[in-house]
Every structure is written in structure tokens, then in C-alpha cells.
Amino acid sequence: MEKTSTVIEDRKIKAEKIESLGGTLYPAGHRVDTRIAELLDRFGQTEAASLEKSVEVHTVAGRILSRRDFGKASFIHIKDGTGRIQAYVRKDRIPERQFDIFKLMDIGDFVGITGPLFRTRTGS
């Protein structure tokens, strides 16, 4: 019998951990209120100070394209059918169980993100 690749084995282990944390491997969808292209059209030229003053919260969903982890925080790029955006996920801003599930997610997984908009120091 052929040996399963380590990538597939790692994915199976992560799937088991996600389920043990109460996560759903194949959820039936995620309610979004804005498509990424709409956010970029509406706020793409808005200055950082104006974004920080806003209390608007937006919900998007998409596939993880890249991620940079920094312990208790991560930057990810997600893409829906209309565009690509960067998201910032901090452990102290979401429930611990959700953060634990998020840390098990890989590039290619689908994720839903809810929060305010802001610009990074690099202007992203």
C-alpha cells in the first residue's frame, strides 16, 4: 500500500484538532455584508486616520492566500471572487477557541473575517 504524504497526514491531524475544538470542517457558508472589491472601491483611497475614526465593521469571506504568523497575531491575505485584501488577526481580539482553530488553518482554507478597516504602517 502506498504511503500517504506528510502534507496529507498533517492536514488530517489539523482537521481532527479543529473538530476536537468544536470547529466545523465544511461549514455551509459564512454570511458576508461586503465583497472585497466593494471595500477596495469604497475605502481604497481613504487615509489611515479617517479609517481609524470609523466605527463601521465589515464581514468578508474568502480563501487564505498567504499568512505571516507572529505568535499571538497573524497577517493573512484572503481572496473572494472579486478581490484580495489583507486581514490582521490578534489573539486578544477574538475568543481563544476561535484563535486556536484559526492557527490550525492553512493556505487554501476558507475563512470569514469580521472587523473594522485600518491601514498598516506600510499603507496596506
Side-chain angles (χ1 to χ4, degrees):
M1 189 156 106
E2 203 174 302
K3 184 176 177 173
T4 307
S5 78
T6 57
V7 172
I8 292 172
E9 286 300 318
D10 288 346
R11 296 286 290 184
K12 286 180 181 179
I13 291 167
K14 286 180 179 183
E16 289 172 5
K17 287 181 182 177
I18 289 170
E19 283 185 321
S20 74
L21 290 168
T24 305
L25 293 180
Y26 306 104
H30 184 77
R31 183 180 301 161
V32 299
D33 62 19
T34 313
R35 303 288 291 188
I36 292 173
E38 293 172 42
L39 288 178
L40 297 174
D41 287 345
R42 232 175 110 193
F43 301 103
Q45 301 302 315
T46 306
E47 293 182 17
S50 296
L51 285 176
E52 287 185 29
K53 290 178 186 176
S54 175
V55 294
E56 278 187 77
V57 173
H58 303 277
T59 300
V60 296
R63 182 165 263 182
I64 299 173
L65 298 177
S66 67
R67 72 181 297 153
R68 292 181 316 282
D69 294 318
F70 301 97
K72 296 181 182 181
S74 296
F75 284 98
I76 61 172
H77 282 97
I78 65 170
K79 180 179 181 178
D80 67 7
T82 67
R84 178 177 185 244
I85 197 168
Q86 181 173 251
Y88 180 60
V89 180
R90 279 183 25 189
K91 185 175 184 171
D92 64 347
R93 300 292 301 235
I94 63 174
E96 186 174 348
R97 184 181 68 83
Q98 284 183 351
F99 189 76
D100 292 342
I101 291 170
F102 168 75
K103 293 297 274 187
L104 293 167
M105 298 180 87
D106 285 317
I107 291 172
D109 288 342
F110 288 94
V111 64
I113 302 286
T114 300
L117 296 177
F118 71 96
R119 280 202 197 286
T120 63
R121 283 183 233 147
T122 63
S124 299

